[in-house]
Amino acid sequence: EIVMTQSPATLSVSPGERATLSCRASQSISNNVAWYQQKPGQAPRLLIYGASTRAAGIPARFSGSGSGTEFTLTITSLQSDDFTLFYCQQYSIWPWTFGQGTKVEI
Amino acid sequence: EVQILESGGGLVQPGGSLRLSCVASGFSFSSYWMHWVRQAPGKGLVWVSRIKNDGRVTTYADAVRGRFTVSRDNAKNSLYLQMNSLRAEDTAVYYCGAGDTWTDYWGQGTLVTVSS
């Protein structure tokens, strides 16, 4: 199965700053990547699909990029609500697999 | 408004069985692939199973193949997961999700605890 490796495991940033989260696939997956946000005790929420397309209702401060094996989620001007967990997911080859997550903290 | 509500979780002994259910509203259930994804306490997300919109195709993760069975009833906007021969490592919150590849919509999850 395809292994998705996220880095860093924890990212310390200040409110208003930019956060850059990375995700690497163990083999090329074109742009078949989604990003999710998960707050404690809640279900994941879709942020990005197709590596760079924002889901409905997602603010423009969230953006995704990359293709092949290297992907990035960028959050500009971090707000208090953004300090939580983020996961990448590949849907190129079954089984779909997630990264282990990046925690964005103050 | 999209709503997905899972039920059926609980405490079960190793080797036991449970049947999870998921009822959806606010979107065209019969048009979507549906998925079960689980999350062990303090751990990440792991895909368990998926089923095509018409119910004719199902796939499973290796860890559950032969023990779990996914099904759906489009007339009732419902998804099911029959879990047999449960093991301690199946302990997790089980989420129901809708989406052909990425998951557009998620339920809030139901906790399954396998312990004696």
Side-chain angles (χ1 to χ4, degrees):
Chain A
E1 69 180 36
I2 294 176
V3 177
M4 303 294 283
T5 303
Q6 291 186 242
S7 61
T10 303
L11 183 61
S12 297
V13 292
S14 299
E17 291 186 340
R18 170 194 297 252
T20 302
L21 289 65
S22 296
C23 179
R24 173 176 293 176
S26 59
Q27 64 186 76
S28 180
I29 53 173
S30 185
N31 67 336
N32 296 317
V33 163
W35 289 90
Y36 302 87
Q37 178 188 54
Q38 188 178 33
K39 298 177 181 178
Q42 296 187 19
R45 177 177 72 146
L46 176 67
L47 298 175
I48 301 284
Y49 61 90
S52 60
T53 303
R54 275 190 304 278
I58 301 303
R61 67 178 184 275
F62 293 93
S63 64
S65 63
S67 66
T69 61
E70 300 286 340
F71 302 90
T72 300
L73 174 70
T74 302
I75 314 168
T76 57
S77 189
L78 276 159
Q79 300 184 5
S80 58
D81 200 42
D82 301 332
F83 291 92
T84 186
L85 268 169
F86 295 86
Y87 293 94
C88 61
Q89 174 232 328
Q90 67 81 20
Y91 50 87
S92 184
I93 297 174
W94 181 261
W96 305 161
T97 47
F98 291 92
Q100 79 280 18
T102 290
K103 181 181 180 182
V104 177
E105 64 175 24
I106 297 177
Chain B
E1 180 190 5
V2 170
Q3 289 191 331
I4 298 178
L5 182 62
E6 300 94 337
S7 62
L11 175 63
V12 61
Q13 292 188 339
S17 298
L18 274 179
R19 188 192 195 211
L20 306 183
S21 300
C22 157
V23 178
S25 61
F27 64 99
S28 180
F29 179 85
S30 62
S31 298
Y32 281 80
W33 282 76
M34 294 296 295
H35 307 259
W36 288 101
V37 177
R38 69 185 181 184
Q39 187 169 36
K43 302 296 184 181
L45 300 161
V46 177
W47 234 280
V48 173
S49 181
R50 64 175 179 170
I51 183 168
K52 195 170 181 281
N53 61 327
D54 61 5
R56 294 184 178 184
V57 176
T58 58
T59 48
Y60 300 91
D62 288 346
V64 306
R65 188 176 296 114
R67 300 188 297 124
F68 290 11
T69 302
V70 62
S71 61
R72 66 190 295 162
D73 184 340
N74 286 344
K76 296 181 178 180
N77 283 2
S78 294
L79 176 73
Y80 307 101
L81 185 68
Q82 178 66 43
M83 305 187 296
N84 299 329
S85 302
L86 283 161
R87 306 167 181 169
E89 54 265 35
D90 295 319
T91 294
V93 173
Y94 284 73
Y95 294 103
C96 168
D100 291 356
T101 46
W102 59 85
T103 301
D104 292 278
Y105 311 121
W106 295 77
Q108 287 303 300
T110 186
L111 175 62
V112 173
T113 303
V114 184
S115 175
S116 55

